Amino acid sequence: MTRTRALRLAGTVLTCAVTAGTLAGCGSSSTKNAPSSSAPATASKSPSSDPDQAAKDKVLAAYTTMREIQIKMADDGDLHTEDLAKYAKGDAATDLKKSVLRNRSANIKFTGRPGMSPTVTSVDTKSKTATVSDCFDATNWKPVYKDSGKAVELAEQRLKYPVTSQATLEGDTWLITRISAERTKGC
């Protein structure tokens, strides 16, 4: 492989990893225990003291679902345009699609799963905007060549870094519109 081609491939994979990092998602699953027989059947959850909690929950759900779609896209090389449109638009959706197309043309897919810990750091229901902060960890999310399964050799790069995403409310649906990775910083 020529040096130019190797550098171009490394740049493509890095761009894809950045986009993936800025968009890849891991949902956290929590298992609720069934109520014990001694608990009253009508017990209810105490209301949150945060008046924006319901909006924050919806923003976080949109972000984590978008990330799950991104992980699937990076694995199978398909765009999943209809699914993605339910959770992302604008620059975020465009960047994800470009990443998939670059990987597909280079015969690359991602295996494993990224680690994430997203939190909604701000929400403004009046301006219909929200911000999600995440620590994206690509340590266990690796690019490989589809045909051989051989790992793609990458230039030295940070694998764990902060990602900030913007969301907007359209109707009653929160959509992720922009994702920014800060690969020079760790988290």
Side-chain angles (χ1 to χ4, degrees), residues 76-89:
D76 66 21
D78 291 333
L79 293 177
H80 299 278
T81 304
E82 289 180 23
D83 292 334
L84 185 61
K86 295 174 188 173
Y87 303 98
K89 73 173 218 167

Side-chain angles (χ1 to χ4, degrees), residues 141-152:
W141 201 39
K142 305 289 185 186
V144 298
Y145 293 103
K146 284 183 180 181
D147 294 341
S148 67
K150 186 177 178 180
V152 175

Side-chain angles (χ1 to χ4, degrees), residues 136-181:
F136 184 79
D137 184 354
T139 304
N140 296 313
W141 201 39
K142 305 289 185 186
V144 298
Y145 293 103
K146 284 183 180 181
D147 294 341
S148 67
K150 186 177 178 180
V152 175
E153 291 185 36
L154 301 174
E156 186 69 27
Q157 59 185 334
R158 187 178 301 275
L159 295 175
K160 191 173 181 181
Y161 48 88
V163 173
T164 303
S165 300
Q166 303 301 317
T168 59
L169 181 62
E170 292 191 3
D172 63 349
T173 303
W174 285 95
L175 298 167
I176 306 304
T177 57
R178 191 170 14 141
I179 302 165
S180 302

Side-chain angles (χ1 to χ4, degrees), residues 31-187:
T31 307
K32 296 193 177 213
N33 295 329
S36 67
S37 58
S38 62
T42 59
S44 64
K45 188 175 163 181
S46 62
S48 171
S49 61
D50 184 352
D52 294 325
Q53 190 59 50
K56 288 179 179 180
D57 291 345
K58 289 180 181 181
V59 171
L60 191 59
Y63 178 83
T64 56
T65 304
M66 178 204 62
R67 290 293 197 175
E68 288 300 321
I69 294 167
Q70 178 194 10
I71 292 166
K72 186 175 182 179
M73 291 167 60
D75 177 52
D76 66 21
D78 291 333
L79 293 177
H80 299 278
T81 304
E82 289 180 23
D83 292 334
L84 185 61
K86 295 174 188 173
Y87 303 98
K89 73 173 218 167
D91 291 345
T94 300
D95 290 347
L96 280 174
K97 291 174 188 177
K98 284 180 180 178
S99 176
V100 170
L101 294 173
R102 278 190 298 268
N103 284 338
R104 186 190 302 168
S105 70
N107 197 36
I108 294 171
K109 73 175 203 163
F110 279 74
T111 61
R113 288 189 62 83
M116 288 171 273
S117 52
T119 58
V120 178
T121 53
S122 71
V123 66
D124 184 339
T125 54
K126 289 182 183 175
S127 69
K128 300 180 179 186
T129 60
T131 302
V132 178
S133 296
D134 194 358
C135 180
F136 184 79
D137 184 354
T139 304
N140 296 313
W141 201 39
K142 305 289 185 186
V144 298
Y145 293 103
K146 284 183 180 181
D147 294 341
S148 67
K150 186 177 178 180
V152 175
E153 291 185 36
L154 301 174
E156 186 69 27
Q157 59 185 334
R158 187 178 301 275
L159 295 175
K160 191 173 181 181
Y161 48 88
V163 173
T164 303
S165 300
Q166 303 301 317
T168 59
L169 181 62
E170 292 191 3
D172 63 349
T173 303
W174 285 95
L175 298 167
I176 306 304
T177 57
R178 191 170 14 141
I179 302 165
S180 302
E182 298 181 62
R183 294 189 59 88
T184 59
K185 298 180 181 179
C187 58

